[in-house]
Amino acid sequence: MRALAITLALVASTVATPALAAPPDYGLPGSYPVAYSDVTAVAGGRSVTARVHYPATAAGSNQPVAAGRFPAIAFGHGFFQATSKYTSTSNHLASWGFVVVVPTTQGGLSPSHSAFADDLNTGLTWLVAQDGTAGSRFRDHITTTALGVSGHSMGGGAAVLAAARNPQVKAVSTYAAAETNPSAKAAAATLRVPAQFLAGSQDTITPVGEHQQPMFAAKPPSKQLRTVTGGFHCGFMDSSGLFCDNGSVTRAAQLVASKRVLTSWFRHYLSGDAAARDFVWGTPARTDAAVTFAGTE
């Protein structure tokens, strides 16, 4: 019996322990191919031109949507910036299982922040309606109870306004959100859904102390202020344009860090991704070498 016990112990000691799965890296593209479709979103008496990026069966234009239902996010562009400068962010979110509607409105020198907020909500309302519309590409593909808003600069401020006006929005995350007219800071004070404000420490166009910090301070929990060390205003875009600045971090590094923070936030709050919570509120979020952490859950 003693010899048998020794033999069994030796056998057990040689059995390999299964390796633990590596945590997801939300800064890298997700598993879905990404397609896009140019649409006119009509809802509530508004008509909004937009491009929709979505998880698909194959990459390209107007490809079939991947199997399943997906949360929807409306993304707003910055002042006088082409929506194409945010393609990598929209595609990144879509690769992680989000349908992203990007209005192409309010692109001139005298945009209406209030109208832009309504355009973002029109895009979301249209997508919710498409889920139940016979013949729509998005029929039975939208998680109608999981809606988010995002955007950069002016579009970030408009996203805050949109969330304050739309009780269906469940989460907000913005890039270098700018104070708007009407006030995004005042709108943030009314928000009861989780909101995250991403900033660049070297942003000279919407400095964190004058724009994102006041919104964060006004917003009741849950809230976060995440600041890219060395990040700059135009580092949240795929390329620079008019009214741009520079920072000590590279654009590529800033985009990876920003996408990681943005994606994990929406995966946690809209997708119910259990692994994402640690990257939002846990040790990985609080010890991120590229992005400082401030927040109250």
Side-chain angles (χ1 to χ4, degrees):
M1 289 298 291
R2 183 172 181 274
L4 177 60
I6 292 172
T7 300
L8 291 174
L10 289 172
V11 170
S13 68
T14 62
V15 175
T17 302
L20 296 175
D25 187 340
Y26 297 102
L28 297 178
S31 60
Y32 290 101
V34 176
Y36 69 90
S37 182
D38 292 322
V39 305
T40 299
V42 179
R46 300 183 71 82
S47 180
V48 174
T49 57
R51 174 164 286 190
V52 181
H53 304 251
Y54 57 92
T57 57
S61 173
N62 298 320
Q63 296 293 327
V65 183
R69 273 191 164 92
F70 305 98
I73 298 170
F75 187 96
H77 62 80
F79 171 68
F80 211 62
Q81 301 299 332
T83 56
S84 59
K85 291 183 180 293
Y86 305 95
T87 298
S88 76
T89 293
S90 299
N91 282 349
H92 189 85
L93 288 169
S95 78
W96 279 95
F98 298 98
V99 177
V100 186
V101 58
V102 185
T104 59
T105 57
Q106 305 302 323
L109 287 171
S110 300
S112 166
H113 301 153
S114 182
F116 201 22
D118 290 340
D119 293 345
L120 294 172
N121 280 330
T122 295
L124 290 177
T125 301
W126 180 80
L127 280 174
V128 168
Q130 292 301 294
D131 181 72
T133 300
S136 169
R137 174 175 290 105
F138 301 104
R139 174 69 184 263
D140 298 328
H141 286 300
I142 306 297
T143 307
T144 59
T145 58
L147 308 181
V149 285
S150 184
H152 173 237
S153 193
M154 174 187 77
V160 176
L161 296 178
R165 298 175 182 181
N166 187 350
Q168 303 307 311
V169 167
K170 303 301 182 186
V172 182
S173 181
T174 61
Y175 284 170
E179 173 63 332
T180 51
N181 181 22
S183 171
K185 174 185 172 182
T190 71
L191 286 181
R192 295 298 181 269
V193 298
Q196 180 183 67
F197 304 94
L198 278 79
S201 68
Q202 296 177 2
D203 188 334
T204 61
I205 296 173
T206 60
V208 59
E210 299 174 22
H211 291 264
Q212 299 89 53
Q213 176 65 47
M215 294 180 205
F216 170 72
K219 168 73 175 69
S222 296
K223 60 181 179 178
Q224 280 190 359
L225 176 63
R226 304 293 302 276
T227 306
V228 180
T229 302
F232 55 110
H233 190 78
C234 292
F236 292 108
M237 305 191 305
D238 295 342
S239 62
S240 290
L242 294 175
F243 316 116
C244 270
D245 59 350
N246 294 285
S248 59
V249 71
T250 66
R251 184 188 308 278
Q254 180 168 340
L255 281 170
V256 169
S258 302
K259 290 172 186 175
R260 181 174 68 247
V261 175
L262 177 80
T263 304
S264 59
W265 182 265
F266 283 130
R267 287 287 298 181
H268 173 54
Y269 282 110
L270 298 184
S271 303
D273 180 352
R277 189 186 188 285
D278 219 22
F279 293 88
V280 174
W281 294 109
T283 299
R286 296 170 187 270
T287 60
D288 190 329
V291 188
T292 65
F293 178 97
T296 306
E297 190 171 3

